[in-house]
Amino acid sequence: MAEIKDVKGIGPKSLSLLNKLGIETIEDLVTHYPFRYDILKRGILQETEDEGHIIIDGKVESIPILMRFKAGLNKMNFRFVTPSGVVGVSIFNRAFLKNQLEVGTGITVIGKYDKKKNIITASEIKMGVLSNKEKIEPVYHCTSGLSNKNLSNYINMALLMYGREIPEYIPSEYIEKHQFVNKRTALNIVHNPPNREKLDAAIERLKYEELFSFMFKINYLKREKKLNNKGLNREISKAEIEKFIKGLSFELTTDQVNAVREIVEDLKAPHRMNRLLQGDVGSGKTIVSFIAMYANCLAGYQSALMAPTEILATQHYNNLKELLKNTPYHIELLTGSTPKKEKQQIYEELKNGNIEFIIGTHALIQDEVEYQNLGLVITDEQHRFGVNQRTNLQNKGYMPDILYMSATPIPRTYALTIYGDMDVTFIKERPKGRKPIETYVKQESEIKDVLTMMYNELKQNHQVYVIAPLIEDNENSKDLKSVCQLKEQMQLAFKDKYNIDIIHGKMATAAKDLIMQEFVQNKIQILISTTVIEVGVDVPNATTMVIFDANRFGLSTLHQLRGRVGRGTDASQCILVSDSDTKRLKIMEKVQDGFIISEEDFKLRGHGDLFGTKQSGDMTFKIADLKQDYKILLQAKKDSEEYLKDKETNSSELKKKLIAGILLN
Ligand code: ADP
Ligand code: MG
């Protein structure tokens, strides 16, 4: 297919600006959808307030008079006839328009109306009059040097030249069934909407197309899994597992026992496990995964546990190592920052089977890593990994059982769609003796209260987390708290009584690990952090979580952060400091259940926060929105299932293309 540089009007400079917007291909360009539409509706002079915003069309009535000022500034004045009367127009710095504004030319003026002087100070002049109803104008994400107008021109030129070549991802029978317009027409409409009805229909069609490909992929992966569902079956001694469980410092909850049972059944069975373990923060998923790994090891296989951050991987490593200390088994930690020599050693021992348990980050699924007999792979906080990453290991020729853990409770209906290819185990019950985490929303002006609440806990030898959105003070967001600034404030407030330190994502891993270790050992009492600690970190003696600028975070994130405390038997509290958005934050005061919070978040913010879209590219959509478009999603799910099953279409180009697209990723 043609490239963007072949589009008339796009030179090297525009090309690099387009690349900056993530636009690499013609398809990217024509699917650079407007993020908003401005509705230009003809205003009426008499009905517009003084200094009010107005959009009005008409004809230029007098030759524009141009005045030039110092520093290259200029101003143009002319008379303008509109359907609701004659009005003066003034516009700054548009001398270049003078030749186009001939008397009698139809234009549309957008600006502010000074009623007494009967003058519109225009912010914009568009050539051409409005149609009798209204004009809908696409607004694009732009970048400096590339205006909305430029983008619109490039997109339209690309559509004109190559519109026929833009691939269609909906099978023709479904285009017919839903009476959709063709792809090129739909694209033309979203970029040049003639009216709302047509625009809505075109958007719906493009959303459907996106969700259809997505669900096709999910369904395809599900089917593939079923087809190659031959897994490992193994003998596992029940008595040995029970002995291991007896050795723990606590008793498992009923939900944990059930989860272990389901997983061990899966391990024993000849089919391949593909299971999601869902449980709220602090519900104790980790121990379940450790037991699963232990069971797998008893049967003579290697286990790998993959965590999204090094801090978390290290924590899991330390905990499991402790549990294994009286066993003959060998456990190692492998992350991006493992020294090269050690890495080589680990690779060697994974290959020759000397290591039974390996814990790490993405480093575990790099190409260099080979296993002797990988039997079980567990991914913690699985929503942070994409669908593709998940299949990565399988492609390496291993047939391990797979367990995903997620603390991000996804409303059940969505889970069924998105994780439609998995079995799900829920852990609902929290470990015994846990008290609810009292949550308070406080204003900035109540900082004294906040400090007192912190002090009351610190006095009892408890520890405190403090969260801020920024690392350092930032000129651009002066009103936001930073980790460094809070450290100074806390030091001022608590003098030398307590050790205060900071941790954030920009620190070297070794430094982070050291700080985390010191916090675990209670050498640090107040740990100030960005959201790097969001995921999974466990320090039972920490009883207080203070989150500054809490309004900056989604409820699910706040819930995850709150879940860092309340992990021991002492009462815990979470303080949300914010002057704005308090109504939303107050939901946190009342609700402890992560599932309900996720529903609320879903309603308020859509899926973004929920699925951690930043991390999993395959959950981002260009035009569809899982929250709003659930109905379309269900339809796309149904259709794509039916289409996948339909043998007659197996030789169709489209089906081949859709499948190739999945395998390519
Ligand atoms: P999450 O489900 O969020 O990953 P963790 O597995 O980190 O939660 O467990 C949170 C804390 O609860 C840990 O300190 C863990 O040791 C403890 N824990 C887990 N299960 C139990 C239990 N049955 N009784 C008491 N404490 C438990
Ligand atoms: Mg966890």
Side-chain angles (χ1 to χ4, degrees), residues 61-233:
E61 201 197 38
S62 69
I63 298 171
I65 298 168
L66 179 66
M67 288 161 276
R68 292 192 185 270
F69 310 114
K70 271 184 288 186
L73 302 178
N74 61 70
K75 180 181 175 185
M76 224 164 14
N77 292 332
F78 58 90
R79 259 200 333 273
F80 185 45
V81 198
T82 79
S84 50
V86 178
V87 60
V89 173
S90 259
I91 185 157
F92 286 92
N93 304 325
R94 297 290 204 294
F96 57 86
L97 282 180
K98 185 164 180 346
N99 290 337
Q100 293 176 55
L101 297 175
E102 284 175 20
V103 173
T105 310
I107 58 167
T108 300
V109 168
I110 301 172
K112 219 191 230 174
Y113 182 43
D114 181 331
K115 217 161 186 159
K116 277 178 233 110
K117 292 190 187 147
N118 191 32
I119 287 176
I120 300 175
T121 305
S123 56
E124 211 176 330
I125 290 181
K126 294 176 185 292
M127 306 312 291
V129 293
L130 295 172
S131 62
N132 31 7
K133 269 184 167 170
E134 58 183 22
K135 187 158 188 263
I136 308 174
E137 290 233 320
V139 184
Y140 298 98
H141 282 296
C142 301
T143 182
S144 119
L146 196 64
S147 67
N148 207 61
K149 185 90 190 139
N150 295 145
L151 267 168
S152 165
N153 287 343
Y154 295 158
I155 291 169
N156 280 310
M157 185 51 80
L159 279 173
L160 192 70
M161 294 174 70
Y162 305 110
R164 277 174 218 288
E165 297 172 35
I166 307 296
E168 165 74 75
Y169 299 106
I170 312 179
S172 51
E173 52 268 44
Y174 295 99
I175 294 186
E176 234 167 78
K177 177 178 159 195
H178 299 297
Q179 299 182 328
F180 287 141
V181 293
N182 71 34
K183 178 87 169 251
R184 179 157 151 253
T185 310
L187 289 171
N188 259 320
I189 292 173
V190 290
H191 293 297
N192 308 283
N195 59 50
R196 287 192 211 204
E197 292 71 38
K198 286 205 164 135
L199 177 60
D200 288 345
I203 290 177
E204 176 164 337
R205 182 240 186 267
L206 293 169
K207 285 179 166 179
Y208 173 90
E209 181 177 21
E210 208 173 17
L211 293 169
F212 182 90
S213 325
F214 175 72
M215 284 313 306
F216 183 86
K217 173 172 169 176
I218 296 273
N219 290 323
Y220 177 79
L221 292 174
K222 178 171 163 183
R223 192 185 70 174
E224 287 303 290
K225 270 178 195 154
K226 273 225 177 89
L227 291 179
N228 330 312
N229 193 14
K230 275 241 168 47
L232 308 161
N233 57 329

Side-chain angles (χ1 to χ4, degrees), residues 375-496:
L376 174 64
V377 174
I378 300 177
T379 58
D380 195 8
E381 307 297 341
Q382 89 83 28
H383 67 288
R384 305 220 153 207
F385 297 100
V387 172
N388 298 328
Q389 268 164 350
R390 291 192 239 147
T391 48
N392 212 346
L393 273 167
Q394 276 129 280
N395 298 341
K396 291 173 84 172
Y398 301 107
M399 282 294 172
D401 285 301
I402 305 209
L403 179 69
Y404 310 101
M405 298 194 282
S406 175
T408 306
I410 292 159
R412 202 180 161 81
T413 36
Y414 286 84
L416 288 180
T417 320
I418 288 152
Y419 299 122
D421 54 339
M422 297 183 193
D423 297 314
V424 186
T425 300
F426 290 94
I427 300 189
K428 290 226 152 130
E429 181 189 6
R430 282 154 54 93
K432 272 197 210 92
R434 295 282 173 77
K435 306 206 171 71
I437 304 160
E438 291 295 335
T439 304
Y440 310 93
V441 178
K442 294 275 176 192
Q443 306 265 310
E444 297 261 359
S445 58
E446 296 172 287
I447 185 75
K448 268 210 172 121
D449 289 359
V450 177
L451 292 170
T452 309
M453 289 163 89
M454 286 171 67
Y455 185 55
N456 287 338
E457 288 299 308
L458 290 162
K459 268 195 312 205
Q460 299 176 50
N461 205 16
H462 291 151
Q463 291 159 278
V464 177
Y465 289 107
V466 176
I467 306 287
L470 300 178
I471 298 175
E472 284 166 346
D473 287 355
N474 180 334
E475 274 300 302
N476 299 326
S477 19
K478 280 203 177 97
D479 44 340
L480 293 184
K481 289 266 192 261
S482 76
V483 169
C484 295
Q485 173 197 0
L486 282 172
K487 184 181 177 192
E488 282 176 29
Q489 285 186 7
M490 295 287 155
Q491 274 168 339
L492 221 63
F494 294 107
K495 303 282 180 321
D496 308 328

Side-chain angles (χ1 to χ4, degrees), residues 279-286 312 315-316 380-381 405-407 535-537 564 567:
D280 213 346
V281 266
S283 61
K285 295 181 291 297
T286 318
L312 193 57
Q315 177 185 296
H316 287 334
D380 195 8
E381 307 297 341
M405 298 194 282
S406 175
V535 171
V537 183
R564 298 307 114 219
R567 299 197 150 219

